Amino acid sequence: MNSILRIIDLSETLISRIMFTPAEIGSMKISNRFIRSATAEFAANPDGTIIPEYLDLYSNLALGEIGLIIQGHLYIMDEGKAHKKMAGIAHDYHLDGLKQIVDVVHNTQTESKIIAQINHGGIHSVSKKAPSILEGKEAQAMTENDIETVIKSFGKAALKAKQIGYDGVQIHAAHDYLLYEFLTKRFNHRNDSWGGSLEGRAHFLFSVYDEVRSKVGSTFPVLVKLNNSDEPKQGFSITEAVEIAKILAEKGLDAIEISGYRTVRTKFESEAYFSKNAQIIKESIGDMPLAVVGGNRSLNVIEKLRHEFADFISICRPFIREPDLVQRFREGKKQADCISCNKCFKAPVIISCLDKRDSSTLEKKEDGSV
Ligand SMILES: Cc1cc2nc3c(=O)[nH]c(=O)nc-3n(C[C@H](O)[C@H](O)[C@H](O)COP(=O)(O)O)c2cc1C
Ligand code: SF4
């Protein structure tokens, strides 16, 4: 083998070592470093039960050898349903369908793991529950009683997820939904023990975490998805995100996934748009595994993130277009086909790629847009 070929060969070995080594999140063994970030399917029945198409969707993701699949957000109580066609984990009648999804993933024998993301939509939900009344927005300020009920509902939902066989749960504390609304001053104008200082604003998230942990026990994997900040807006800073992540690590959180403001960007100056702040967070949380999401598209950027700080790389839209993207990367593909156009939000039956253009013929800019 001549020396150039040997260098190429070595760099390919390095790629597989960086992205395809197994790792652990708490007691959960994950076969590689790819995570499918939670992706709402927009396909549930009006009562929150799933339709059969969910099974194909999740079977294909598992067959694609994604290490960890995070299912689209599930509402923990009726009043927290964030949008139409969202699936629930609030009632016993939701559980049969969810168990079928878990089984379909576990039966593919690719070692993919699946966890449930549990959520309350806050101001975006049918009840419009929010930390405070907000000018120009329809919102219902939460009472102490409301807060206690939501905390308990998160705990019940996490326990149900454990009982039906999910490999873990992720608490959704990002993207302007209820838990994040309490963290940011953009939404939280309270001056009681659930607002004000960072300690006050984080009281709700920490109480939910403690309740979930007390229900599922110390060895069941619990993750949190958190915004890195409100940048370029103000209300929650990177310094505050670091503080929250540090405290969650001390409390025994198993892993954190870092997202941010306006997460589904159609245009971005560079890939991996939350990576700078995600790295700052990683430097403060010791050994707790961290995943970063947001615009990760090409293998060399993904590898760089992994090399520099990230334990896992989370991807959403590219897996809608190519559920087998992990396999394709392993076989030498360098760049995901997804062009971040967001047309998939309008899929008629269940989340799917609606961009019919042949991406190999499109000239992509640096930012992945066309
Ligand atoms: C159709 C769609 C549905 C989504 N649903 C969820 C969700 O249920 N929970 C969540 O935390 N994020 C959700 N997101 C955000 C993604 O998880 C991810 O943070 C975002 O798309 C950025 O990653 P990407 O550039 O790889 O797509 C959704 C994104 C899309 C495009
Ligand atoms: S519709 Fe657009 S954003 Fe959605 S998966 Fe297809 S290319 Fe990606």
Side-chain angles (χ1 to χ4, degrees):
M1 196 185 287
N2 72 34
S3 55
I4 293 175
L5 277 181
R6 195 171 305 118
I7 290 167
I8 293 169
D9 188 49
L10 274 177
S11 75
E12 280 172 1
T13 314
L14 195 62
I15 289 168
S16 43
R17 236 187 277 137
I18 284 179
M19 288 310 297
F20 290 92
T21 44
E24 286 167 16
I25 290 184
S27 59
M28 174 168 54
K29 295 193 178 7
I30 302 175
S31 59
N32 59 51
R33 305 307 182 100
F34 290 96
I35 294 183
R36 187 275 203 150
S37 202
T39 308
E41 304 83 1
F42 296 100
N45 293 309
D47 66 358
T49 53
I50 65 150
I51 61 169
E53 283 79 357
Y54 276 71
L55 303 182
D56 281 346
L57 177 77
Y58 283 96
S59 165
N60 288 336
L61 291 167
L63 287 169
E65 296 177 20
I66 298 168
L68 174 62
I69 299 166
I70 307 179
Q71 200 182 310
H73 59 173
L74 296 168
Y75 62 89
I76 54 152
M77 57 199 296
D78 292 338
E79 68 158 47
K81 187 172 179 174
H83 52 78
K84 282 187 188 155
K85 297 191 174 184
M86 180 177 177
I89 187 164
H91 301 285
D92 286 348
Y93 60 75
H94 288 141
L95 304 185
D96 272 359
L98 298 178
K99 183 165 176 357
Q100 287 177 43
I101 296 176
V102 171
D103 290 346
V104 105
V105 168
H106 289 162
N107 289 340
T108 55
Q109 297 177 340
T110 54
E111 298 178 19
S112 284
K113 299 291 191 296
I114 179 160
I115 67 175
Q117 186 187 56
I118 50 178
N119 195 19
H120 185 301
I123 199 168
H124 303 289
S125 67
V126 285
S127 63
K128 311 269 180 236
K129 288 275 162 74
S132 320
I133 299 289
L134 297 165
E135 218 182 281
K137 291 199 163 113
E138 205 190 326
Q140 294 284 328
M142 287 173 73
T143 62
E144 288 268 340
N145 232 348
D146 289 332
I147 290 174
E148 290 304 333
T149 308
V150 173
I151 292 169
K152 291 266 176 292
S153 299
F154 267 103
K156 283 184 200 154
L159 181 59
K160 287 189 181 110
K162 181 179 179 186
Q163 286 167 340
I164 57 177
Y166 281 102
D167 298 297
V169 287
Q170 184 182 59
I171 299 167
H172 197 342
H175 306 171
D176 280 2
Y177 289 123
L178 187 64
L179 289 178
Y180 187 70
E181 288 164 13
F182 269 81
L183 287 175
T184 171
K185 291 183 201 149
R186 275 194 298 126
F187 287 92
N188 189 339
H189 304 160
R190 300 176 76 101
N191 47 24
D192 60 4
S193 73
W194 305 98
S197 63
L198 180 63
E199 192 189 356
R201 283 177 281 129
H203 186 182
F204 191 30
L205 171 60
F206 293 154
S207 304
V208 166
Y209 173 76
D210 291 343
E211 177 71 11
V212 164
R213 183 55 86 196
S214 79
K215 291 289 176 195
V216 299
S218 58
T219 56
F220 188 67
V222 179
L223 292 76
V224 163
K225 187 167 184 175
L226 182 72
N227 284 358
N228 70 80
S229 69
D230 267 342
E231 291 168 10
K233 296 211 169 199
Q234 289 183 346
F236 184 67
S237 67
I238 173 62
T239 319
E240 291 179 323
V242 166
E243 257 329 283
I244 302 286
K246 263 164 60 179
I247 295 171
L248 286 169
E250 283 159 18
K251 280 176 170 289
L253 183 74
D254 292 296
I256 193 155
E257 184 186 19
I258 298 301
S259 187
Y261 181 73
R262 278 207 314 111
T263 187
V264 280
R265 299 186 181 181
T266 49
K267 292 207 162 54
F268 26 100
E269 279 170 16
S270 60
E271 287 193 36
Y273 38 80
F274 300 131
S275 57
K276 192 170 129 265
N277 281 351
Q279 181 160 12
I280 294 172
I281 294 171
K282 177 63 190 176
E283 280 158 10
S284 312
I285 56 173
D287 293 336
M288 181 170 71
L290 175 143
V292 60
V293 73
N296 305 322
R297 299 289 180 270
S298 55
L299 190 56
N300 64 352
V301 168
I302 286 169
E303 265 188 292
K304 190 164 176 284
L305 298 175
R306 172 78 194 94
H307 182 71
E308 287 177 351
F309 72 94
D311 301 281
F312 294 90
I313 309 301
S314 281
I315 294 175
C316 166
R317 287 165 289 178
F319 284 138
I320 299 174
R321 185 162 185 143
E322 299 170 276
D324 57 350
L325 181 59
V326 171
Q327 282 169 333
R328 293 181 183 194
F329 277 149
R330 189 152 45 72
E331 288 159 8
K333 188 179 175 97
K334 299 285 181 223
Q335 167 97 24
D337 288 343
C338 174
I339 56 166
S340 310
C341 64
N342 283 351
K343 285 186 196 157
C344 40
F345 277 101
K346 299 213 162 78
V349 179
I350 194 162
I351 193 76
S352 56
C353 180
L354 292 192
D355 183 73
K356 300 292 178 220
R357 290 172 286 181
D358 174 0
S359 52
S360 63
T361 63
L362 294 172
E363 251 186 54
K364 277 190 195 173
K365 298 180 196 133
E366 271 280 281
D367 64 3
S369 64
V370 288

